Amino acid sequence: MLPISLYIISALIASVLGEPRVIEPPLRVDLQPPPEYQRSSARNVFQSWITMPIDHFDPQNQNTYQMRFMFNEQFFGGDGYPVFILVGGEWDIAPGWLMAGNMFTMAQENRGYQIYTEHRYYGQSLPYTVFTTENLRFLNVDQALADLAYFIKELKKQPRFANSKVILYGGSYAANMVLWFKQRYPHLAVGTVASSGPILGEVDFTGYLEVVHEAFRSEGGEQCVTTIKQGIADTISAMETEEGRRTLESVYRLCRPLDYDNKYDLGYFAGLISWTFSGSVQRARPGTLISICNNFASNVYGVTPMEKVGGYIAISQNMSPNGCWSISFDTLLNVYNATRSNSRAWYYQTCTEYGYYQTAPRSGTAFDQLTWLSVDFYVEVCKRVFDQRFDEAFLDDAVDRVNLIFGGLEPNVNNTINIHGAIDPWHALGVYDRDLKEGSPTITVPRASHCFDMQGWLTTDTIQMTNAQQTARRLVASWLSE
Ligand SMILES: *[C@@H]1O[C@H](CO)[C@@H](O)[C@H](O)[C@H]1NC(C)=O
Ligand SMILES: *[C@@H]1O[C@H](CO)[C@@H](O)[C@H](O)[C@H]1NC(C)=O
């Protein structure tokens, strides 16, 4: 509770002082617990720590760190009943995920023990407290999967779990993790549920903004994307005259004029626009994009197309009336150049494993015009905040390595439920149009976005969403009864 209220207070102070605000690309996902959980049931969730090798692959390295996990045994049936592990990704673990959501329901239905593990280098699970590039070398998925294997091995030493079957559930990057874990350590888990996993690494990820465009089109209609496209086109034309520039700066609420000769500053400005649209889509519930498009059609955000885009950004980013955006590449670099943060750790993983860079498409979308959002832009961050050697060729090799060892879009994995949302931009890097194999079905839910099957049932859910959640629960129950 304390960090949240501190956050609110500092946000309030910032809004009073009109302090500049910084925006980050939606590269890192911060999975928020299901909103319907009851805070009062937090008494069922406990936190603990396990001593973990820092390097699972070098027996000569005996260093360890403390990995955090949470658990809830309220439904546990006793010896041999199943264990459900929610696998943490690039965020802090939080008790709410063991108090509601689809895995919670599975545990309830199968008298299971619930655990939530924290990923190394995130939250409080810190092999090092200072994230120099040197200290980040043990941050990779191979080590994180080995952490999970080691965790399950230690867990099974307790007699009550010796005969328990283990189910893993993960969303976003953690969906990759559970799928890859089942592939690499099939003897340690009977099955996994992978929600919205972008299992193919890709440096130049144009598909992301293509899905964002398509989501606004399919939900809000052709007129909506036409307005957005016009607003962006007008913004770019405005950059050509002094008068246009002043209009742009006021419409977008910039703290000071942009450096119109700096392609990286312009990349960050292009990000302010595209990342806001991306955020709306990635978090969309049925109806969210329709109401945004209704606001574009009426004059809620502004009158001209450019004003509409600028107003939409201010409103959806909760910009205070006298707040402003600080748009310079250095501001962005500072976010990732922190001594230690989840954002820095995840950016490191994008530079050394996945890419995932949400670049301007080249297929006629509203976002094609934002050409400053290039691979060069994102890779420059890798070079400047980690190591000059992290250039484009380095990234291509790094991503090839991950795709080679895990199989890219052709993983060979049993007992995995592979769930995607049709308007989730991340599905473009997953398998969404065919089953992984017999016994590992794919369920792609229309109109759903990122990881929403992980939540509990909501009145706004579509029938297809409810069906997907039920199908996952039925299949998991069948693995447990085999
Ligand atoms: C990041 O921080 C280090 C250490 O404080 C500093 O030397 C370096 O110049 C910073 N890099 C950027 C890109 O700001
Ligand atoms: C999947 O299960 C089948 C049937 O039990 C088995 O023959 C096969 O080896 C398994 N594949 C993997 C990759 O574990």
Side-chain angles (χ1 to χ4, degrees):
M1 287 305 291
L2 193 61
I4 293 172
S5 43
L6 278 179
Y7 173 80
I8 292 169
I9 290 167
S10 58
L12 280 176
I13 294 171
S15 69
V16 170
L17 299 178
E19 209 171 84
R21 285 235 350 237
V22 177
I23 178 176
E24 280 182 52
L27 275 175
R28 189 175 78 84
V29 172
D30 201 350
L31 272 194
Q32 295 302 314
E36 67 276 17
Y37 77 87
Q38 301 296 319
R39 282 182 192 281
S40 58
S41 62
R43 66 175 183 277
N44 293 320
V45 180
F46 299 89
Q47 174 172 294
S48 187
W49 304 83
I50 176 172
T51 302
M52 195 59 83
I54 287 188
D55 187 351
H56 291 278
F57 307 114
D58 178 7
Q60 295 183 41
N61 185 342
Q62 297 282 306
N63 296 337
T64 60
Y65 77 99
Q66 295 298 306
M67 185 181 113
R68 181 165 69 144
F69 63 98
M70 293 179 180
F71 59 95
N72 176 351
E73 52 186 35
Q74 73 182 109
F75 302 128
F76 188 50
D79 289 6
Y81 275 85
V83 175
F84 291 85
I85 302 179
L86 187 68
V87 174
E90 70 274 23
W91 53 81
D92 290 43
I93 58 171
W97 275 112
L98 300 184
M99 290 144 62
N102 208 30
M103 192 187 88
F104 176 88
T105 308
M106 288 176 182
Q108 191 166 31
E109 289 173 351
N110 298 282
R111 302 182 70 187
Y113 193 98
Q114 293 184 81
I115 296 175
Y116 190 7
T117 53
E118 194 160 68
H119 192 295
R120 55 169 58 205
Y121 289 88
Y122 296 96
Q124 298 178 20
S125 299
L126 302 172
Y128 296 92
T129 50
V130 178
F131 286 4
T132 59
T133 305
E134 170 79 2
N135 285 346
L136 288 168
R137 69 197 185 284
F138 299 109
L139 171 56
N140 56 59
V141 71
D142 306 83
Q143 297 282 5
L145 296 182
D147 284 341
L148 283 173
Y150 190 95
F151 182 88
I152 293 171
K153 182 199 77 168
E154 290 298 307
L155 190 75
K156 292 216 155 205
K157 285 181 180 166
Q158 294 184 37
R160 57 183 174 158
F161 300 127
N163 298 311
S164 294
K165 289 180 172 170
V166 175
I167 300 287
L168 302 184
Y169 206 132
S172 199
Y173 160 58
N176 297 2
M177 291 175 68
V178 301
L179 190 152
W180 294 339
F181 183 89
K182 178 67 180 148
Q183 184 173 247
R184 185 172 279 185
Y185 304 97
H187 51 293
L188 293 179
V190 296
T192 66
V193 187
S195 171
S196 302
I199 56 174
L200 182 71
E202 188 169 83
V203 179
D204 189 8
F205 183 17
T206 51
Y208 186 100
L209 285 171
E210 285 170 359
V211 180
V212 172
H213 174 97
E214 187 49 34
F216 272 98
R217 202 196 57 75
S218 64
E219 292 283 301
E222 205 60 50
Q223 185 55 45
C224 189
V225 286
T226 304
T227 306
I228 296 169
K229 193 170 190 170
Q230 191 61 49
I232 296 175
D234 292 350
T235 304
I236 292 168
S237 321
M239 293 181 183
E240 282 159 21
T241 64
E242 283 304 317
E243 194 196 341
R245 290 175 177 187
R246 299 300 90 77
T247 309
L248 177 157
E249 288 147 15
S250 119
V251 161
Y252 284 94
R253 303 194 191 195
L254 307 188
C255 302
R256 55 182 170 278
L258 286 172
D259 178 352
Y260 292 91
D261 298 321
N262 182 325
K263 62 178 174 174
Y264 298 129
D265 284 9
L266 294 178
Y268 190 31
F269 176 66
L272 173 69
I273 298 172
S274 72
W275 301 335
T276 305
F277 285 101
S278 304
S280 295
V281 172
Q282 207 171 295
R283 289 187 304 269
R285 287 283 186 180
T288 308
L289 301 182
I290 296 174
S291 50
I292 291 174
C293 284
N294 288 341
N295 290 345
F296 268 106
S298 56
N299 290 340
V300 171
Y301 297 136
V303 179
T304 69
M306 178 161 85
E307 282 169 10
K308 286 175 197 261
V309 173
Y312 153 74
I313 293 171
I315 289 176
S316 32
Q317 302 281 4
N318 296 315
M319 174 57 87
S320 61
N322 49 355
C324 63
W325 296 109
S326 177
I327 301 294
S328 77
F329 194 52
D330 286 341
T331 316
L332 183 65
L333 293 177
N334 283 338
V335 171
Y336 298 113
N337 206 26
T339 310
R340 176 181 90 224
S341 70
N342 290 345
S343 296
R344 178 170 171 84
W346 181 244
Y347 212 100
Y348 175 83
Q349 286 197 265
T350 68
C351 301
T352 53
E353 296 186 297
Y354 310 108
Y356 290 154
Y357 298 137
Q358 300 143 1
T359 50
R362 298 176 281 273
S363 55
T365 72
F367 308 107
D368 287 35
Q369 313 163 80
L370 300 171
T371 50
W372 303 282
L373 282 176
S374 60
V375 167
D376 174 47
F377 169 80
Y378 288 99
V379 170
E380 187 66 15
V381 178
C382 297
K383 285 162 50 181
R384 299 270 286 274
V385 306
F386 297 115
D387 193 320
Q388 280 298 327
R389 289 177 307 153
F390 291 8
D391 60 10
E392 203 174 325
F394 174 96
L395 257 92
D396 286 339
D397 288 347
V399 169
D400 282 351
R401 182 193 78 91
V402 167
N403 290 335
L404 172 66
I405 60 177
F406 294 112
L409 293 177
E410 308 284 337
N412 184 2
V413 64
N414 281 337
N415 287 18
T416 290
I417 307 168
N418 172 47
I419 303 176
H420 284 285
I423 65 163
D424 171 16
W426 291 103
H427 85 245
L429 293 181
V431 174
Y432 57 89
D433 52 0
R434 62 189 155 85
D435 290 343
L436 294 173
K437 65 193 287 194
E438 200 189 334
S440 291
T442 292
I443 307 172
T444 298
V445 184
R447 301 188 66 197
S449 195
H450 201 51
C451 297
F452 279 117
D453 59 284
M454 299 179 73
Q455 308 274 328
W457 180 82
L458 290 175
T459 50
T460 50
D461 282 344
T462 59
I463 305 260
Q464 293 94 330
M465 174 60 78
T466 305
N467 283 344
Q469 291 172 317
Q470 282 174 346
T471 303
R473 294 205 300 275
R474 251 197 322 271
L475 202 47
V476 165
S478 77
W479 297 333
L480 293 173
S481 65
E482 270 166 15

